[in-house]
Amino acid sequence: MAKEKKQPRPKADTPKGFRDYFGADVTERKQMLDRIAEIYHRHGFDPLETSAVETVEALGKFLPDVDRPNAGVFAWQEAEVPGIGQGGGGAGDWLALRYDLTAPLARVAAQFRNDLPSPYRRYAMGPVWRNEKPGPGRFRQFYQCDADTVGSASVAADAEICAMLSAALEHAGIQRGDYLIRINNRKVLNGILEAMGVTEGPVSDDVLRTIDKFDKVGEAGVRQLLTTGRKDDSGAEIAGVGLAPEQADPVIAFLTSKGADNAATLANLRAAVGASEIGAEGVDELAQIADMLTAMGVGEDCAVIDPSIVRGLGYYTGPVFEAELTFEILDEKGRKRQFGSVAGGGRYDGLVERFTGQKVPATGVSIGVDRLLAALRAKGLMGGQEHGPVVVTVMDRDRMGEYQAMAAELRAAGIRAEVYLGNPKNFGNQLKYADKRQSPVAIIQGADEAARGVVQVKDLILGAKIAAEASHEEWKAQPAQTEIARDGLVAEVRRILG
Amino acid sequence: MAKEKKQPRPKADTPKGFRDYFGADVTERKQMLDRIAEIYHRHGFDPLETSAVETVEALGKFLPDVDRPNAGVFAWQEAEVPGIGQGGGGAGDWLALRYDLTAPLARVAAQFRNDLPSPYRRYAMGPVWRNEKPGPGRFRQFYQCDADTVGSASVAADAEICAMLSAALEHAGIQRGDYLIRINNRKVLNGILEAMGVTEGPVSDDVLRTIDKFDKVGEAGVRQLLTTGRKDDSGAEIAGVGLAPEQADPVIAFLTSKGADNAATLANLRAAVGASEIGAEGVDELAQIADMLTAMGVGEDCAVIDPSIVRGLGYYTGPVFEAELTFEILDEKGRKRQFGSVAGGGRYDGLVERFTGQKVPATGVSIGVDRLLAALRAKGLMGGQEHGPVVVTVMDRDRMGEYQAMAAELRAAGIRAEVYLGNPKNFGNQLKYADKRQSPVAIIQGADEAARGVVQVKDLILGAKIAAEASHEEWKAQPAQTEIARDGLVAEVRRILG
């Protein structure tokens, strides 16, 4: 037998890269997601909640060359437990935490393809997990909020997603004018490549990578990178793709084709794609999306065709969208900057194919939950407003029932209230507690007050103001504390809470 | 280089013991939890959302004799990733999915003990994971819903939990009279053991185990098991604890001390514990809880002292509570049976001690989310009521914008609506889709109707009724379909939806 060793005490720590959410962190996110869900639901989208755990096989992250398929995901191997051996996820199978909400949707769309309506509109909100190096503000568990339409090849589905995104942002609290959804189309880019005489392969990949740098290096930089290369800021030589100067023209035309309105942009794009059929199809799709958005009351001030949006063009197969918040906030150094992107999405076709071999068209959008919440807080639309509960203090342990009756009365009137449940001996501790709870009001009733049928009601908000501003004499006068008849308790608390 | 092998298609399956939740499964649970959270919040409880992942060390499941601490939990070892090595959860550490919401609360209470208010009231709702053999209705991921007060030794905290549980059940939809919270106290049982002359040890453990069988074997059975043993139904001989017959008397007195009201029960308990100090303390606590519940307006028809509630008495250190639903439902064989337990809890002291060495008193309750939801459905209080969205059908692909405008108008009026986004060629498929979506209304507008400025509004609920009941001639008359002016669309749909 091994000697019994005294175990050291365990460390009370979250694992690295994980965090806890307290109070308003939880309720504010929930409030925002509830608002978004309301809009999704009204658009005919149904909620879907898949389990956190999937087989690595279904997630598609199985890497045959490594012992442990944990690159990017949290994965583990099922133990050989009797009875956990049949069906998906048998003994010895690798399981993993989902890393996004799209992979589980793909699995569901394949698994339930005979039962789900087609097209299937679904939304999903919940945590996902990434086995990545954590950093400041970068966690290994975070929320995603997705809406997708599976099984519709029509660009009406893309237009609907854009209109719904616009409605969701507004319902969450972002005002019209404070956001802009920009729409591009991968097919137009394919047309551009065709016009350049570049077929799919290493060169088109190079062109895509170069386009991705448009934000940073601008028109001239892209032109250099597509042809002979350029020097970056550090003076390092970046090799060019090696295209002829005239081959770069259609790319530049594409990236800079944004006009004064959608009609102008579409005309520029038509010119840029030249005789390419796929390009013309892409421009037609954008034109249809623009028309449908107008029909749904979503104007160009909310959603606009903008070919300079290139993020995700490599991944998506048709329309691509990105929502930006256009107002300025102050960064950590006090400089003004644009808030930037809070949602993105587009059309992709490979969703279910891995499982069934069938191409199923799908389109969807993902809202950056933490970023949108940060934006609402930056705009003062959320956070810091809510008071804590009214605290009924305990002067006399034997009359606990009466204190609880007061709290119950307040709650019955819809007022958040609690009785102090720590050791009541030191009254100062009770007021410190009320302070920590950000209580707006403290209720006090000693034996004397009880005998006289009254209670003391202490306005802690006013009290804090007086304590900060008033002289000692004024403070001593304690105008923030009022004695009232016991049966006037609810009315007086209501009056203070406004 | 390895040969490139064609990978077989992955299986589209949830891992064994996991499931997906669709539509109403998600919204109904959310609705129930929202109602419960409202009550918890009003009682001064704050939400806490810990991450799904904890260190195995913090969870307290580390078994030093096995290579893999996965008995009961899903656990894995951190890879040696540069940068994921400092603080809690360093490289090589074992991580695990939480198996309940109490272990993370213990970790949080220890980790943030200097920042949290004391007492700390918190509620938590979310999934937990168990690496156990799945069975029918038994899943390896399921929801828990807990409320706990950490840092209060006062039985006022226990009374508050009981009153709050009563309010939560009622706010969720369970009517007064349909539930009963039964309250017992481990200290009374300790007094009983003292009165029997049994000290803590193997014999007291045996007595506890025997008491746990009271539900099954009744008074006579418990008496046999405490003394000389008994034959079970199969005729097998079950050994007795070996107590003298008079030693069994206090246990029987305890288990059968429920009187006509709390006062009678408390008197019986006082007699049963005799001269035991801890027993008297336990009875006093129950008396205080009873008084405080009365003060809070929670009568004996809602919460009652009942010493026959013995579940958890071995785990808890003070008051113990259990909520039962008292109405009858039909089981799978059509027999009437009581619905049974939906929540339980009590007082425990070892919460934070593992981490800090300090005993911190705590009390709390856990609601069985799936059971309570099943109860609400069994009572017809939830489920099956909601219609799907209004479906705007597509007769003419070129007028997609107009169809989307109709859906947008309906949504602006607060009506759930969507445009059919599948291939519109076969109109029958569109109506089949509307059927699958449980749509109440379909909107139809062909080129002819558009030219005349009208739409067809098809009442699908009435239509289904007619199809089921009417003759072919009546059916052909199609009274469930009405032609109205285009600008009367919203009003007509509103009329049908009632």
Side-chain angles (χ1 to χ4, degrees):
Chain A
M1 298 285 283
K3 265 196 295 181
E4 214 174 296
K5 253 207 306 194
K6 211 185 158 194
Q7 292 273 334
R9 279 187 196 139
K11 273 195 268 337
D13 273 322
T14 37
K16 191 82 178 167
F18 291 89
R19 57 163 294 194
D20 302 305
Y21 294 84
F22 294 90
D25 287 343
V26 179
T27 46
E28 286 169 16
R29 181 181 56 208
K30 181 178 179 307
Q31 191 185 321
M32 184 184 87
L33 292 178
D34 282 356
R35 302 281 285 178
I36 294 171
E38 215 180 301
I39 294 297
Y40 288 177
H41 181 262
R42 199 176 295 166
H43 281 73
F45 285 67
D46 278 339
L48 169 67
E49 190 175 309
T50 61
S51 66
V53 179
E54 296 276 349
T55 64
V56 166
E57 184 189 357
L59 281 182
K61 275 279 174 178
F62 184 68
L63 309 173
D65 288 339
V66 294
D67 272 350
R68 240 192 110 112
N70 62 357
V73 300
F74 291 103
W76 63 90
Q77 198 170 13
E78 281 271 65
E80 303 275 342
V81 179
I84 313 186
Q86 296 83 37
D93 276 3
W94 280 90
L95 303 185
L97 292 176
R98 65 185 180 206
Y99 58 86
D100 71 5
L101 299 173
T102 308
L105 171 62
R107 196 257 308 149
V108 164
Q111 185 173 350
F112 299 98
R113 61 189 176 281
N114 297 325
D115 307 311
L116 290 172
S118 177
Y120 175 50
R121 289 174 173 96
R122 86 88 178 80
Y123 68 87
M125 299 168 165
V128 301
W129 293 265
R130 299 273 170 91
N131 194 357
E132 287 169 354
K133 188 180 164 177
R138 237 167 37 127
F139 295 97
R140 302 207 281 168
Q141 171 177 334
F142 56 93
Y143 264 69
Q144 288 197 336
C145 165
D146 286 19
D148 295 84
T149 300
V150 181
S152 173
S154 166
V155 287
D158 302 285
E160 180 180 87
I161 292 276
C162 290
M164 184 167 77
L165 176 58
S166 155
L169 290 174
E170 291 184 14
H171 201 56
I174 304 292
Q175 288 193 323
R176 196 164 281 209
D178 274 348
Y179 70 91
L180 187 61
I181 299 167
R182 298 175 210 267
I183 306 164
N184 198 355
N185 194 343
R186 169 63 196 253
K187 286 187 186 168
V188 178
L189 178 60
N190 287 348
I192 297 291
L193 292 169
E194 222 173 85
M196 293 161 70
V198 171
T199 51
E200 222 170 292
V203 177
S204 75
D205 290 349
D206 283 348
V207 173
L208 273 170
R209 260 192 298 277
T210 305
I211 282 180
D212 246 359
K213 296 184 185 133
F214 178 54
D215 273 358
K216 275 190 213 157
V217 302
E219 183 182 331
V222 166
R223 190 178 284 279
Q224 290 169 332
L225 286 171
L226 286 174
T227 52
T228 54
R230 75 189 287 266
K231 275 204 179 104
D232 72 8
D233 289 346
S234 70
E237 205 58 65
I238 313 289
V241 178
L243 299 178
E246 65 275 15
Q247 275 185 302
D249 289 343
V251 176
I252 301 299
F254 169 66
L255 291 173
T256 59
S257 56
K258 173 96 173 61
D261 56 21
N262 282 343
T265 307
L266 290 165
N268 292 340
L269 284 178
R270 269 191 217 290
V273 297
S276 163
E277 238 174 79
I278 186 77
E281 192 181 314
V283 180
D284 285 346
E285 286 182 0
L286 287 176
Q288 286 171 49
I289 290 174
D291 284 348
M292 289 190 275
L293 286 173
T294 305
M296 285 184 276
V298 179
E300 292 191 28
D301 54 334
C302 300
V304 69
I305 309 296
D306 186 343
S308 72
I309 290 303
V310 289
R311 207 168 354 160
L313 272 187
Y315 168 69
Y316 294 111
T317 56
V320 180
F321 3 99
E322 184 163 347
E324 271 185 62
L325 301 189
T326 52
F327 55 82
E328 286 179 331
I329 54 160
L330 299 179
D331 69 9
E332 59 283 2
K333 290 186 179 159
R335 290 169 304 205
K336 283 185 180 177
R337 60 172 190 81
Q338 294 281 100
F339 194 90
S341 175
V342 291
R347 175 168 287 279
Y348 49 97
D349 291 328
L351 191 71
V352 187
E353 199 179 6
R354 277 185 58 239
F355 295 104
T356 65
Q358 259 186 315
K359 269 197 197 298
V360 174
T363 182
V365 69
S366 185
I367 292 180
V369 173
D370 292 322
R371 282 191 65 77
L372 182 57
L373 193 53
L376 292 172
R377 286 179 180 145
K379 282 289 258 188
L381 291 165
M382 213 168 235
Q385 308 305 314
E386 211 211 6
H387 289 303
V390 170
V391 169
V392 179
T393 61
V394 175
M395 300 295 282
D396 187 355
R397 213 189 278 247
D398 289 342
R399 287 189 309 104
M400 191 55 106
E402 171 58 14
Y403 298 129
Q404 286 183 316
M406 292 182 199
E409 263 179 60
L410 290 165
R411 285 178 208 131
I415 297 165
R416 194 181 186 205
E418 57 173 51
V419 175
Y420 180 72
L421 287 182
N423 187 335
K425 244 177 23 195
N426 182 332
F427 188 70
N429 280 347
Q430 300 199 42
L431 289 185
K432 269 186 216 151
Y433 171 85
D435 191 47
K436 196 158 203 172
R437 297 288 282 133
Q438 298 181 279
S439 303
V441 174
I443 310 296
I444 306 160
Q445 190 195 52
D448 164 63
E449 280 101 355
R452 289 190 293 121
V454 298
V455 289
Q456 301 281 339
V457 178
K458 199 173 166 76
D459 183 336
L460 297 174
I461 305 162
L462 183 59
K465 217 176 140 198
I466 292 170
E469 297 167 7
S471 70
H472 187 67
E473 282 65 37
E474 287 167 318
W475 184 81
K476 288 267 282 187
Q478 283 185 313
Q481 187 165 325
T482 325
E483 181 174 302
I484 52 149
R486 169 67 183 82
D487 62 8
L489 175 64
V490 169
E492 174 65 9
V493 172
R494 262 215 188 105
R495 189 193 62 74
I496 293 173
L497 297 179
Chain B
M1 297 288 281
K3 265 197 295 183
E4 215 174 298
K5 254 209 302 195
K6 212 186 159 193
Q7 293 274 334
R9 277 186 199 142
K11 275 194 277 299
D13 273 321
T14 38
K16 190 82 177 168
F18 291 90
R19 57 164 294 193
D20 302 306
Y21 294 84
F22 293 90
D25 287 343
V26 178
T27 45
E28 286 169 15
R29 182 181 56 208
K30 181 177 180 308
Q31 193 185 321
M32 185 184 87
L33 292 178
D34 282 355
R35 301 282 286 177
I36 294 170
E38 215 180 297
I39 294 297
Y40 288 177
H41 181 262
R42 199 176 296 165
H43 281 73
F45 286 66
D46 278 339
L48 168 67
E49 190 175 308
T50 61
S51 66
V53 179
E54 297 277 347
T55 64
V56 166
E57 184 189 357
L59 281 182
K61 277 277 173 180
F62 184 67
L63 308 172
D65 288 338
V66 294
D67 272 351
R68 242 192 109 111
N70 63 357
V73 300
F74 291 104
W76 62 90
Q77 195 170 15
E78 281 273 63
E80 302 276 342
V81 179
I84 313 187
Q86 295 83 37
D93 276 2
W94 280 90
L95 303 184
L97 293 176
R98 65 184 180 206
Y99 58 86
D100 70 6
L101 300 174
T102 308
L105 171 62
R107 196 258 307 149
V108 164
Q111 185 173 350
F112 299 98
R113 62 189 176 280
N114 297 325
D115 307 310
L116 290 172
S118 177
Y120 175 50
R121 290 173 172 95
R122 86 89 179 78
Y123 68 86
M125 299 169 165
V128 301
W129 294 265
R130 300 272 171 91
N131 195 356
E132 287 168 355
K133 188 180 163 178
R138 240 170 32 129
F139 294 96
R140 301 207 282 167
Q141 172 176 333
F142 56 92
Y143 264 70
Q144 288 197 336
C145 166
D146 287 18
D148 295 83
T149 300
V150 181
S152 173
S154 166
V155 287
D158 302 285
E160 180 180 87
I161 292 276
C162 290
M164 184 168 77
L165 176 58
S166 154
L169 291 174
E170 291 185 12
H171 202 56
I174 305 291
Q175 287 193 322
R176 196 163 281 208
D178 274 349
Y179 70 92
L180 188 61
I181 300 166
R182 297 176 211 267
I183 306 165
N184 198 354
N185 194 341
R186 169 63 194 255
K187 285 186 186 170
V188 177
L189 178 60
N190 287 348
I192 297 291
L193 291 169
E194 222 174 86
M196 294 161 69
V198 171
T199 50
E200 223 171 291
V203 177
S204 74
D205 289 348
D206 282 349
V207 173
L208 273 170
R209 260 193 298 277
T210 305
I211 281 179
D212 245 0
K213 295 183 185 137
F214 179 54
D215 274 358
K216 276 191 211 156
V217 301
E219 184 183 332
V222 166
R223 190 178 283 280
Q224 289 168 333
L225 286 171
L226 286 174
T227 53
T228 54
R230 75 187 287 266
K231 276 204 177 105
D232 73 7
D233 290 347
S234 69
E237 203 60 62
I238 313 290
V241 179
L243 299 179
E246 66 275 14
Q247 275 187 301
D249 289 344
V251 176
I252 301 301
F254 169 67
L255 291 173
T256 60
S257 57
K258 173 97 172 61
D261 56 20
N262 282 344
T265 306
L266 289 166
N268 292 339
L269 284 178
R270 267 190 217 291
V273 297
S276 163
E277 236 174 79
I278 185 78
E281 192 182 314
V283 180
D284 285 346
E285 287 183 1
L286 287 176
Q288 286 171 48
I289 291 174
D291 283 349
M292 289 189 276
L293 287 173
T294 305
M296 284 185 276
V298 179
E300 291 190 29
D301 54 332
C302 299
V304 68
I305 310 296
D306 187 343
S308 72
I309 290 302
V310 290
R311 209 172 347 166
L313 272 187
Y315 169 69
Y316 293 111
T317 56
V320 179
F321 3 99
E322 185 164 347
E324 273 185 59
L325 301 188
T326 52
F327 54 82
E328 287 178 330
I329 54 160
L330 298 179
D331 70 8
E332 59 283 4
K333 290 185 178 159
R335 291 169 304 203
K336 282 185 180 177
R337 60 172 190 80
Q338 295 281 100
F339 194 90
S341 174
V342 290
R347 177 168 285 279
Y348 48 97
D349 291 327
L351 190 72
V352 187
E353 200 179 4
R354 277 184 58 237
F355 295 104
T356 65
Q358 260 187 315
K359 268 198 197 298
V360 174
T363 184
V365 69
S366 185
I367 292 180
V369 172
D370 291 322
R371 283 191 64 75
L372 183 57
L373 194 53
L376 292 171
R377 286 180 180 142
K379 284 288 261 188
L381 291 165
M382 211 168 235
Q385 308 304 314
E386 212 211 6
H387 289 303
V390 170
V391 169
V392 179
T393 61
V394 175
M395 300 296 282
D396 187 354
R397 216 190 276 246
D398 289 342
R399 288 189 308 104
M400 191 55 106
E402 172 57 12
Y403 299 130
Q404 286 183 315
M406 292 182 199
E409 264 178 60
L410 289 166
R411 285 178 207 131
I415 297 165
R416 194 179 185 206
E418 57 173 52
V419 175
Y420 180 73
L421 287 182
N423 187 334
K425 245 181 15 200
N426 181 333
F427 188 69
N429 280 348
Q430 299 199 42
L431 289 185
K432 269 186 215 150
Y433 171 85
D435 191 47
K436 197 160 203 172
R437 297 289 281 134
Q438 299 181 280
S439 302
V441 174
I443 310 295
I444 306 160
Q445 190 195 52
D448 163 62
E449 280 102 354
R452 290 189 291 120
V454 299
V455 289
Q456 301 281 341
V457 178
K458 198 173 168 74
D459 183 337
L460 297 174
I461 305 163
L462 183 60
K465 218 176 139 200
I466 292 169
E469 297 167 7
S471 69
H472 188 67
E473 282 66 36
E474 288 168 318
W475 184 81
K476 289 266 283 188
Q478 283 185 313
Q481 187 164 325
T482 325
E483 182 174 300
I484 54 150
R486 168 67 182 81
D487 61 8
L489 175 64
V490 168
E492 173 65 9
V493 171
R494 265 220 185 100
R495 190 193 61 73
I496 293 173
L497 297 179

